């Protein structure tokens, strides 16, 4: 690679901005780098800057209002599936993800292929500079362990999402599929590019990194977490649980999720949901990892924030004229006594629907601004309930059905009155139904695994990318179910194919242009 284009400038004041095309690295070959990485307190500013990078914008050369870091990529992964509906095109933001019309943007440095690649590799190259200083860094051992543990966890996180976004799931496609280029050393303008290798290569690094993170973040070795945005031992275990689930390493997924729950978090109470909790407060006890967004940190006056694309209450934001809704099929699966039913409208009478604003059938209210005037609202990246659902799935896959039932019942005590799963069949198989697509039957869950996955889809709607579950489970999906409220049925692709090539993002042309180890014909993802 003649020149890496994915580096961020991080200054001691933790000011951070995303890279413009061709911006060189901040790293060890630039004045100030050696000084910054000589002292743990100074180096900590770098990791804090990277956390803020998780929600700043301008990861491409334009279209910044749909490129606000990791949360925008999560949102695009939800819109690619069947449980989330974008009812109108509006200004066009994210609608092309929903239509499956972004993969062809691979030559455009404004588009999704480039901006997502740029984002994760920016994190990686900065983290590599931190990790390279581990033997020379001065300061309290507990602080050094905390810094290095977070750096290893962030590198695992970045490669994990690169692997899932730019390739099929390792669980379905196999580990011999092409991976993504791996860099573990600080990069400079002299750094040579590397090839794709395999998914097995990528996951070998991911697994090693997350384990290295956990050794260093052990509460007996690392300083106590300073802020909810910092990965700690418990949230890093939550990340490990996600990684293990993707690889179908069920016992390790269960163990990691269990360890994540030992940090003192608790479920979001039913009273908070019925009281209108809008998933914009990272201080809640259910949050394992989140980002506090202050009024003066809002990107794009709130238009380059998730809530600007979700909260339709104000005409100042895109969501008012491009409403995000739940699929009417999923809404119908939520019991009338389930407190989560309040996250969405039900069907409205035709005369009550409006062209803009909240009055739209199945409109969502789960995600709202904390402050509409400023566009502020916190991001929740990981919470207690996800760990419980991963525990339940892992136990079911291990055929330890009694334990899986107990976990699910404990979750649902705070969600639905009279919840009863005694009639479900103990099975790790997902039931498919040709009339409704490869999803839980319209008549309701039949197997215990049906129910676990259904509750995962309801509970975590909008929080994790649904498309990744579809890919790892190999189920495919359909939007063309009876009475579908989807505005785009995507007839030009085949989402019933467990290895649908449209689920795999194209590698940006800019990478081929700058990396001599890659060939644009041989190494591009299939169409």
């Amino acid at each position: 690679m003649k020149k890496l284009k994915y580096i961020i400038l991080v200054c001691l004041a933790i000011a951070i901005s995303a890279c413009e095309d061709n911006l060189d690295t901040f790293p060890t070959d630039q004045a100030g780098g050696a000084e910054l990485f000589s002292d743990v307190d100074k180096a900590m500013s770098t990791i804090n800057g990277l956390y803020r990078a998780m929600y700043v914008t301008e990861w491409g050369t334009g279209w910044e209002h749909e490129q606000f870091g990791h949360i925008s990529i999560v949102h695009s992964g939800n819109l690619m599936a069947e449980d989330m509906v974008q009812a109108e095109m509006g200004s066009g933001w994210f609608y092309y993800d929903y239509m499956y019309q972004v993969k062809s943007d691979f030559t455009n440095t404004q588009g999704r292929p480039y901006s997502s690649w740029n984002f994760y590799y920016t994190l990686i190259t900065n983290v590599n500079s931190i990790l390279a200083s581990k033997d020379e860094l001065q300061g309290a051992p507990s602080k050094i362990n905390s810094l290095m543990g977070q750096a290893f966890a962030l590198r695992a996180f970045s490669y994990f999402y690169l692997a899932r976004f730019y390739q099929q799931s390792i669980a379905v496609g196999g580990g011999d599929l092409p991976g993504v280029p791996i860099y573990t050393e600080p990069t400079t303008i002299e750094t040579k590019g590397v090839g794709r290798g395999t998914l097995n290569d990528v996951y070998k690094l991911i697994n090693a990194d997350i384990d290295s993170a956990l050794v260093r973040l052990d509460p007996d070795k690392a300083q106590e977490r300073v802020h909810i945005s910092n990965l700690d031992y418990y949230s890093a275990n939550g990340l490990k649980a996600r990684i293990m689930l993707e690889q179908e390493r069920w016992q390790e997924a269960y163990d990691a999720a269990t360890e994540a729950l030992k940090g003192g978090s608790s479920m979001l109470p039913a009273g908070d949901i019925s009281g209108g909790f809008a998933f914009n407060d990272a201080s809640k006890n259910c949050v394992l990892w989140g980002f506090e967004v202050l009024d003066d940190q809002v990107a794009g006056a709130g238009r380059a924030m998730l809530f600007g694309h979700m909260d339709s209450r104000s005409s100042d934001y895109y969501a008012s004229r491009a409403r995000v809704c739940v699929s009417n099929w999923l809404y119908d699966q939520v019991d009338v006594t389930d407190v989560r039913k309040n996250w969405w409208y039900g069907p409205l009478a035709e005369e009550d629907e409006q062209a803009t604003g909240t009055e739209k059938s199945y409109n969502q209210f789960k995600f709202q601004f904390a402050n509409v005037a400023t566009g502020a609202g916190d991001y929740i990246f990981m919470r207690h309930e996800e760990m419980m659902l991963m525990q339940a799935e892992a136990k079911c896959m291990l055929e330890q059905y009694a334990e899986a039932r107990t976990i699910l019942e404990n979750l649902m005590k705070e969600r639905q009155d009279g919840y009863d799963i005694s009639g479900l069949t103990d099975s790790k198989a997902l039931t498919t139904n040709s009339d409704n697509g490869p999803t839980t039957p319209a008549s309701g869950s039949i197997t215990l695994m049906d129910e676990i996955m259904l509750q995962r889809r309801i509970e975590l709607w909008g929080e994790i990318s649904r498309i990744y579950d579809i890919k790892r489970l190999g189920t495919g999906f359909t939007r063309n179910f009876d009475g579908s409220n989807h505005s785009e049925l995507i007839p030009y692709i085949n989402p019933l194919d467990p290895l649908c090539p449209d689920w795999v993002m194209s590698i940006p042309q800019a990478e081929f242009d700058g990396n001599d180890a890659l060939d644009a014909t041989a190494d591009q993802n299939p169409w």
Side-chain angles (χ1 to χ4, degrees):
M1 180 178 287
K2 295 179 181 177
K3 182 178 286 188
L4 292 176
K5 305 174 183 178
Y6 312 113
I7 311 299
I8 237 172
L9 291 174
V10 184
C11 75
L12 292 178
I14 318 177
I16 189 165
S17 61
C19 312
E20 295 180 1
D21 197 26
N22 297 319
L23 186 65
D24 290 333
T25 64
F26 164 83
T28 53
D29 67 333
Q30 187 171 352
E35 179 184 353
L36 180 60
F37 293 122
S38 65
D39 177 84
V40 68
D41 291 318
K42 294 178 181 178
M44 197 67 77
S45 69
T46 305
I47 205 85
N48 290 335
L50 294 181
Y51 285 126
R52 188 177 174 198
M54 301 284 278
Y55 60 86
V56 299
T57 188
E58 297 181 3
W59 292 102
T61 57
W63 302 350
E64 68 273 12
H65 285 186
E66 65 172 16
Q67 294 175 3
F68 38 92
H70 178 66
I71 197 69
S72 65
I73 301 166
V74 171
H75 186 52
S76 69
N78 281 314
L79 287 167
M80 289 171 69
E82 83 280 47
D83 289 343
M84 182 176 283
V85 175
Q86 186 163 331
E88 301 98 2
M89 177 176 282
S91 298
W93 304 125
F94 289 103
Y95 200 73
Y96 292 95
D97 297 277
Y98 179 60
M99 294 171 63
Y100 279 79
Q101 297 294 312
V102 297
K103 190 171 180 176
S104 59
D105 278 339
F106 70 98
T107 63
N108 184 355
T109 56
Q110 298 182 98
R112 186 75 61 209
Y114 176 89
S115 64
S116 302
W117 188 273
N118 185 21
F119 169 72
Y120 290 117
Y121 274 110
T122 296
L123 295 186
I124 288 166
T125 199
N126 279 273
V127 162
N128 284 342
S129 291
I130 296 171
L131 291 173
S133 71
K134 62 181 180 294
D135 295 329
E136 291 78 31
L137 203 62
Q138 300 297 309
S142 63
K143 289 185 178 181
I144 293 174
N145 280 332
S146 175
L147 174 67
M148 294 301 162
Q150 291 177 71
F152 274 115
L154 276 176
R155 192 167 71 182
F157 165 87
S158 299
Y159 277 118
F160 181 51
Y161 280 92
L162 280 168
R164 294 203 291 174
F165 201 54
Y166 290 92
Q167 191 48 275
Q168 301 288 358
S169 171
I170 192 172
V172 177
D176 292 332
L177 287 172
V180 295
I182 294 173
Y183 300 93
T184 59
E185 300 294 332
T187 52
T188 73
I189 58 174
E190 304 301 326
T191 298
K192 300 295 184 182
V194 299
R196 294 190 66 176
T198 68
L199 270 185
N200 281 332
D201 297 330
V202 180
Y203 274 92
K204 182 179 179 180
L205 176 64
I206 293 168
N207 294 334
D209 276 355
I210 195 61
D211 285 342
S212 294
L214 289 170
V215 168
R216 290 164 174 79
L217 291 172
D218 186 302
D220 292 332
K221 297 179 181 179
Q223 73 167 1
E224 187 174 351
R225 176 160 68 176
V226 175
H227 195 272
I228 191 65
S229 65
N230 295 99
L231 282 160
D232 67 354
Y233 176 76
Y234 305 104
S235 52
N237 265 294
L239 177 57
K240 180 173 181 176
R242 291 177 179 175
I243 293 166
M244 295 300 108
L245 209 68
E246 184 76 21
Q247 298 173 81
E248 298 185 334
R249 295 166 63 169
W250 306 117
Q251 186 62 54
E252 291 165 281
Y254 174 81
D255 292 343
T258 300
E259 200 69 16
L261 292 177
K262 293 180 180 179
S265 62
S266 60
M267 282 185 61
L268 185 68
D272 279 13
I273 295 175
S274 61
F277 179 69
F279 285 81
N280 57 23
D281 184 356
S283 70
K284 284 293 185 180
N285 204 49
C286 64
V287 179
L288 276 76
W289 187 26
F291 293 83
E292 182 184 14
V293 181
L294 304 177
D295 286 345
D296 62 355
Q297 296 176 339
V298 171
R303 293 173 182 84
M305 297 278 290
L306 176 67
F307 306 107
H309 298 273
M310 296 289 279
D311 188 349
S312 60
R313 294 176 300 163
S314 172
S315 60
D316 290 340
Y317 297 103
Y318 296 125
S320 175
R321 53 191 181 277
R323 275 76 62 89
V324 175
C325 306
V326 66
S327 83
N328 52 353
W329 178 87
L330 187 63
Y331 179 84
D332 288 344
Q333 308 310 306
V334 186
D335 192 85
V336 293
T337 68
D338 192 323
V339 69
R340 297 170 300 183
K341 200 96 170 176
N342 296 321
W343 286 344
W344 310 281
Y345 266 150
L348 301 181
E350 184 176 351
E351 60 269 20
D352 292 333
E353 293 213 5
Q354 301 294 322
T356 62
T358 61
E359 302 309 296
K360 174 70 178 176
S361 293
Y362 306 104
N363 184 54
Q364 77 86 33
F365 296 93
K366 184 179 181 183
F367 299 93
Q368 298 178 19
F369 286 110
N371 186 333
V372 176
T374 64
D378 296 349
Y379 289 139
I380 297 173
F381 277 8
M382 184 185 296
R383 63 184 173 102
H384 188 97
E385 291 84 348
E386 181 190 352
M387 301 302 111
M388 296 179 69
L389 286 159
M390 287 195 287
Q391 283 182 314
E393 181 181 348
K395 283 294 185 182
C396 190
M397 294 304 297
L398 291 166
E399 300 183 0
Q400 297 172 12
Y401 299 118
E403 293 95 328
R405 286 175 180 270
T406 297
I407 295 165
L408 189 57
E409 288 167 344
N410 287 339
L411 172 74
M412 295 303 291
K413 284 177 183 177
E414 285 288 340
R415 300 294 182 260
Q416 180 181 328
D417 293 336
Y419 183 72
D420 182 10
I421 54 174
S422 60
L424 298 181
T425 301
D426 280 337
S427 173
K428 61 185 181 182
L430 279 169
T431 305
T432 59
N433 181 303
S434 59
D435 294 331
N436 196 53
T439 58
T440 305
S443 58
S445 299
I446 295 174
T447 70
L448 181 58
M449 184 54 73
D450 289 343
E451 184 66 12
I452 291 169
M453 295 312 301
L454 175 62
Q455 295 308 326
R456 179 178 170 88
R457 291 166 68 179
I458 296 169
E459 180 71 28
L460 301 177
W461 184 89
E463 297 178 61
I464 59 173
S465 292
R466 166 68 178 154
I467 195 64
Y468 295 146
D469 278 351
I470 289 166
K471 290 171 69 172
R472 72 179 176 85
L473 294 168
T475 61
F477 73 88
T478 184
R479 294 177 183 171
N480 194 18
F481 49 82
D482 187 36
S484 173
N485 65 326
H486 276 279
S487 61
E488 289 289 339
L489 299 181
I490 50 175
Y492 35 82
I493 72 170
N494 181 18
L496 294 173
D497 178 2
L499 290 171
C500 178
D502 296 275
W503 297 339
V504 179
M505 191 55 60
S506 48
I507 294 175
Q509 184 63 41
E511 177 66 19
F512 294 112
D513 293 342
N515 185 348
D516 292 337
L518 291 179
D519 180 87
T521 300
D523 291 315
Q524 182 58 278
N525 283 325
W527 295 79

